[in-house]
Amino acid sequence: MKYLKSLLAVCIALNLSACSDDDKIKPPGGGGEQPAPGRVVHDLALTAPQAGRELVEDFPVSEYLDYAPGAQPLTNLTSLDINGPDLHTFQQGIEVGTIDVSASPRVYQPLALRLTALDDIVATEQYEDELWYVTGTNEIFQRSLTSDETTSWRLETSLTITELGLDSDDNSDIWGYDANAHQVIRFKPEDEQLLLYPLSDNMTIQGVSYLEQQLWILASESGQPVVMQFDVSDEQVTQRNGWHVTGFGQAEMTDLTILSGEQVVITTNAQENNLVLLADRDKLLGDGPIEDTGELVVQNRYSLPDEIKQPSGLWYTQQGGWEIVTDQAEVYSLNADLQIQTRTELAFASIHCGQGCTEAVISKGGEIFVLADSKLIGHFTLSEQGYQLVQEYPLAFHEEGEPPFEFLGLAYDALNDRYFLVSNSDNASQQDWLFTLDSQFNLVSRQPLSYTGETAGSLNEYTAMGLYFAEDALWMVSEQFTKVIKLTLSGEIVAVYDLLPEDMTMPSDLVVKDGKIYLIGDHENGEPVPPLIELTIE
């Protein structure tokens, strides 16, 4: 055979006392058989991105995780890939684990593996029930997670494979990086064909990913991280796009993976905020699909108390004060001068609240209704001990055969005692909907978001971070493109107002009163809380 391949049974499965697990068994290499060399297809030039082409942080995944019992914290992330709904992670010398990013809350769960070679493994990929890994040699390993067997391929002797990339839907192509010859490799296990793509530059390769006939490379150019996208047609690989990755200071990128819709997720060597979804800055802060009706101009900035961290929900009370809910399931009651009167840690019955748990708050004279990202609304009443849970209302709205819709904003019409939600999908091709609910959060109606004029993209690109009812209309704040959008109660967009990113980079909720718009925003750990800003429309 062209490449030395062996099936390695785990010692425990065979009841052998001479060893404890399969990673101590080495594939046979005797008999004088030598691996055949790979075939060079063509050189691959890594073209530096144009100035201004940037990927920036969109969502800090690692900051919104719960950990299963016994799981090690994600402080040494080495490899990353997507496997179905799961993000697969590897911490060198520590453990392999998964995160179901479609679930709420998102829980990091270690895999039960008996591998004493965790210190030797330098990169991993998971495909269904297979763990693929390399150890910085010329070998590629495939470990079955169900049959306790490992298959290995020994490629040409000179290779030093340090990165891996597999399509989450197909393992017929195994992509990697050979650090010895500075080249991309492409291995086909079925016919044991090895293709080589020498790199004609001096960039440092830090990650490889492959999805739907596209190769993605994470590299460093003079210390600046870059991401490059390539089209793959038969054996030809052609660069399509490239971006600088900005906003991570001195942190070093360690790997990347690609979600559907060309969403890039990266890992870094930082101790925290080290697993991050990125966004194209042009798309995130671009014009959006609808031409602006007007602009939002800041009139005042009101500092919030330092104790309030990562505010996510805002409400103006009948007494002239404010209620603010944070990502940490806290609710702060503030007076008109924004001084804290009370603080309550909210406790739900059916969920354990971690980071990023609560998204919106509505206050109704001694009681509040809080939207949680676990697709439920909690009803709390005020007591001497703070707000206490009265009842939970699940939001189980979904298309047939699909997971429930996500909601980040909640609006209330006090005159008619009804509530409104707008679904918030991560996929621009997935229809977003306006939901109208009665006083008990039962569904009254559902209408698609719509617009009668011309568009330059999908309406579903807007992200419904916050929602408010005023002037017989709904007002929605979108972090994507930083806009405030006015909708009719049937879901039709009638106006789009531009918010300068420097005024509020990550808007999270809004209040509309007396012809003015009030906004709060999220922030990263260690950064000061943004002020409450007052804006007018011009």
Side-chain angles (χ1 to χ4, degrees):
M1 61 185 177
K2 184 182 294 185
Y3 300 104
L4 301 183
K5 174 182 175 182
S6 60
L7 190 63
L8 311 176
V10 175
C11 294
I12 292 177
L14 298 177
N15 197 25
L16 299 178
S17 59
C19 55
S20 62
D21 57 38
D22 66 339
D23 59 302
K24 292 185 178 180
I25 304 175
K26 302 301 180 184
E33 186 176 10
Q34 295 296 323
R39 173 168 59 87
V40 174
V41 180
H42 61 74
D43 285 0
L44 192 58
L46 305 182
T47 304
Q50 296 178 353
R53 295 285 291 157
E54 296 180 359
L55 294 176
V56 296
E57 179 177 314
D58 186 20
F59 181 73
V61 180
S62 55
E63 302 303 290
Y64 294 85
L65 292 179
D66 288 344
Y67 285 85
Q72 297 298 313
L74 296 178
T75 58
N76 188 36
L77 284 167
T78 310
S79 287
L80 176 72
D81 72 279
I82 190 73
N83 181 45
D86 295 339
L87 277 177
H88 162 88
T89 63
F90 169 60
Q91 299 190 84
Q92 188 174 27
I94 301 176
E95 67 187 11
V96 179
T98 62
I99 304 164
D100 185 349
V101 293
S102 68
S104 184
R106 300 175 185 88
V107 179
Y108 169 72
Q109 176 74 50
L111 291 181
L113 289 176
R114 294 176 58 90
L115 282 173
T116 59
L118 281 177
D119 288 335
D120 299 326
I121 296 174
V122 297
T124 66
E125 291 273 324
Q126 187 176 345
Y127 171 75
E128 296 181 348
D129 292 323
E130 303 166 359
L131 179 68
W132 293 74
Y133 63 91
V134 293
T135 58
T137 66
N138 64 327
E139 292 181 279
I140 296 177
F141 298 88
Q142 177 201 52
R143 168 71 176 260
S144 171
L145 301 178
T146 57
S147 66
D148 290 334
E149 294 176 340
T150 299
T151 304
S152 73
W153 289 265
R154 186 177 300 159
L155 309 186
E156 66 175 61
T157 307
S158 63
L159 298 184
T160 302
I161 308 171
T162 58
E163 303 291 344
L164 277 181
L166 279 73
D167 193 315
S168 59
D169 295 324
D170 183 9
N171 67 346
S172 61
D173 276 342
I174 312 300
W175 293 81
Y177 171 65
D178 168 27
N180 182 51
H182 191 47
Q183 60 186 347
V184 170
I185 70 168
R186 181 183 185 182
F187 180 62
K188 298 177 177 291
E190 185 174 348
D191 59 7
E192 299 188 338
Q193 181 182 182
L194 176 64
L195 305 179
L196 306 175
Y197 300 85
L199 299 174
S200 56
D201 57 77
N202 295 319
M203 290 190 189
T204 302
I205 306 303
Q206 297 166 315
V208 172
S209 187
Y210 183 68
L211 179 68
E212 297 175 351
Q213 301 298 307
Q214 290 187 343
L215 175 68
W216 296 73
I217 294 178
L218 173 67
S220 176
E221 181 188 33
S222 302
Q224 171 66 50
V226 295
V227 169
M228 288 159 286
Q229 177 188 22
F230 299 82
D231 288 326
V232 178
S233 178
D234 296 327
E235 294 185 356
Q236 300 301 303
V237 180
T238 307
Q239 186 165 346
R240 175 180 178 182
N241 220 329
W243 301 264
H244 294 284
V245 181
T246 61
F248 289 87
Q250 299 301 312
E252 180 179 321
M253 309 290 131
T254 58
D255 202 6
L256 85 166
T257 194
I258 310 302
L259 310 183
S260 61
E262 300 183 356
Q263 294 179 296
V264 180
V265 184
I266 55 97
T267 55
T268 78
N269 65 350
Q271 293 292 296
E272 57 185 24
N273 196 27
N274 50 17
L275 176 58
V276 179
L277 174 67
L278 303 180
D280 188 326
R281 184 179 178 86
D282 289 343
K283 295 181 179 178
L284 189 65
L285 304 179
D287 294 332
I290 298 175
E291 185 176 352
D292 294 335
T293 311
E295 296 181 354
L296 297 173
V297 178
V298 175
Q299 301 300 318
N300 289 291
R301 290 181 170 88
Y302 303 102
S303 296
L304 292 175
D306 293 338
E307 297 92 324
I308 299 176
K309 305 296 184 183
Q310 296 170 316
S312 55
L314 179 68
W315 187 260
Y316 184 73
T317 68
Q318 294 176 345
Q319 294 74 34
W322 302 87
E323 300 281 359
I324 293 180
V325 68
T326 73
D327 279 352
Q328 296 79 27
E330 310 161 302
V331 60
Y332 289 89
S333 299
L334 285 72
N335 62 17
D337 296 323
L338 297 178
Q339 297 171 330
I340 296 175
Q341 304 301 295
T342 63
R343 171 190 173 274
T344 303
E345 293 186 11
L346 300 175
F348 292 83
S350 62
I351 60 171
H352 169 69
C353 264
Q355 183 75 8
C357 174
T358 44
E359 304 293 350
V361 61
I362 287 172
S363 175
K364 296 165 62 177
E367 58 181 3
I368 60 173
F369 295 83
V370 177
L371 173 66
D373 68 353
S374 297
K375 306 172 188 67
L376 63 84
I377 291 174
H379 177 196
F380 298 82
T381 57
L382 187 61
S383 68
E384 293 182 355
Q385 292 75 39
Y387 285 106
Q388 303 294 314
L389 181 67
V390 175
Q391 188 173 352
E392 292 181 348
Y393 299 90
L395 303 173
F397 307 126
H398 61 89
E399 303 285 14
E400 185 175 355
E402 297 293 331
F405 289 106
E406 299 278 352
F407 303 104
L408 299 177
L410 177 66
Y412 176 61
D413 173 9
L415 181 62
N416 297 290
D417 199 15
R418 56 182 175 175
Y419 298 86
F420 303 93
L421 297 160
V422 172
S423 61
N424 187 63
S425 71
D426 292 330
N427 190 339
S429 64
Q430 181 177 336
Q431 177 67 58
D432 285 327
W433 300 84
L434 168 63
F435 293 79
T436 303
L437 312 179
D438 65 16
S439 61
Q440 297 300 305
F441 300 98
N442 299 305
L443 180 64
V444 175
S445 64
R446 185 183 83 162
Q447 294 93 13
L449 294 195
S450 63
Y451 180 68
T452 58
E454 294 184 358
T455 62
S458 170
L459 302 182
N460 306 312
E461 294 180 85
Y462 292 121
T463 52
M465 305 303 294
L467 197 64
Y468 197 81
F469 174 86
E471 303 172 3
D472 203 32
L474 290 169
W475 301 77
M476 182 178 83
V477 60
S478 171
E479 181 181 346
Q480 187 87 341
F481 313 120
T482 56
K483 308 288 184 182
V484 170
I485 301 163
K486 185 177 180 179
L487 305 96
T488 68
L489 301 187
S490 59
E492 180 185 348
I493 296 175
V494 293
V496 176
Y497 302 108
D498 187 45
L499 171 69
L500 293 178
E502 51 265 37
D503 289 334
M504 186 68 74
T505 304
M506 295 186 287
S508 56
D509 205 2
L510 78 168
V511 163
V512 179
K513 71 180 187 75
D514 301 329
K516 297 179 180 179
I517 296 174
Y518 296 82
L519 279 173
I520 57 170
D522 200 356
H523 62 99
E524 303 302 341
N525 289 336
E527 295 180 352
V529 59
L532 170 70
I533 61 173
E534 176 188 284
L535 308 109
T536 56
I537 298 172
E538 293 188 1

